Amino acid sequence: MITYRRILALVSLLTGLIFISATAYFIRQDERQHAHERNGELLALRVTYEVHLAELEHNLINLAQMLASEPEVIRLMSSAAQLPRGVDGSINQDALDSLRDGLRTVIDPQWQVMQDQLGIRQLQLTTPDLISLLRQHAPDEHGDSLERV
């Protein structure tokens, strides 16, 4: 027999299930909304990063072109590219050291500005066959091939 208490318990149980279901639904919707917002923020950050990276690359290319357009740098780099090679591919180290010192002398003033005002940490000049001619940031490291890099 159906009693008032059983009907009340059944209605209370159904009402509780409805509230639990509604709460779970709204929590899930809220999580989806937050996930969607996070994805939008991540996309915006990624686009901002890519724009800044492209701008940085453009600025660094401009700096490189500025250095490369210096007549004395052009002359010294051309001389380095035209140095005769031995049978084993080696270059006269005294001539190379002299060119390297000349390049360092020409580049030093601009290098100081780049470091102090622009925060640039590395500058490297290479021969056309990708041999490191001068690492301004590491003067004693040179002569290695950058072909794989």
Side-chain angles (χ1 to χ4, degrees):
M1 166 174 229
I2 299 179
T3 64
Y4 173 76
R5 283 189 164 177
R6 286 187 181 172
I7 291 175
L8 186 60
L10 183 61
V11 168
S12 296
L13 179 66
L14 287 174
T15 305
L17 288 174
I18 290 170
F19 281 122
I20 289 172
S21 298
T23 302
Y25 173 79
F26 288 121
I27 288 173
R28 192 167 178 190
Q29 283 297 99
D30 192 46
E31 288 173 353
R32 284 182 185 159
Q33 180 65 28
H34 285 302
H36 182 71
E37 289 171 4
R38 279 191 307 269
N39 287 341
E41 290 171 4
L42 286 174
L43 179 62
L45 285 172
R46 181 178 179 183
V47 168
T48 302
Y49 169 77
E50 289 172 355
V51 166
H52 283 290
L53 189 62
E55 184 179 345
L56 177 62
E57 182 179 354
H58 178 73
N59 289 339
L60 289 174
I61 288 170
N62 285 340
L63 281 172
Q65 288 173 341
M66 179 190 72
L67 281 175
S69 67
E70 181 76 34
E72 187 63 11
V73 171
I74 293 170
R75 186 187 72 72
L76 291 166
M77 290 299 292
S78 295
S79 297
Q82 295 171 1
L83 283 175
R85 296 188 178 261
V87 192
D88 61 352
S90 64
I91 300 175
N92 179 325
Q93 284 304 307
D94 291 335
L96 205 52
D97 288 343
S98 174
L99 289 171
R100 192 176 290 114
D101 290 340
L103 282 167
R104 191 172 289 116
T105 300
V106 172
I107 292 174
D108 266 343
Q110 290 123 333
W111 173 240
Q112 285 305 141
V113 171
M114 287 181 202
Q115 283 181 304
D116 297 342
Q117 294 180 9
L118 304 175
I120 295 177
R121 298 184 313 237
Q122 295 183 4
L123 175 65
Q124 180 166 254
L125 303 175
T126 63
T127 62
D129 56 350
L130 299 177
I131 302 297
S132 175
L133 181 61
L134 172 67
R135 282 185 175 93
Q136 192 70 12
H137 56 281
D140 296 329
E141 296 179 26
H142 48 76
D144 55 319
S145 175
L146 301 174
E147 190 171 353
R148 291 190 337 190
V149 177

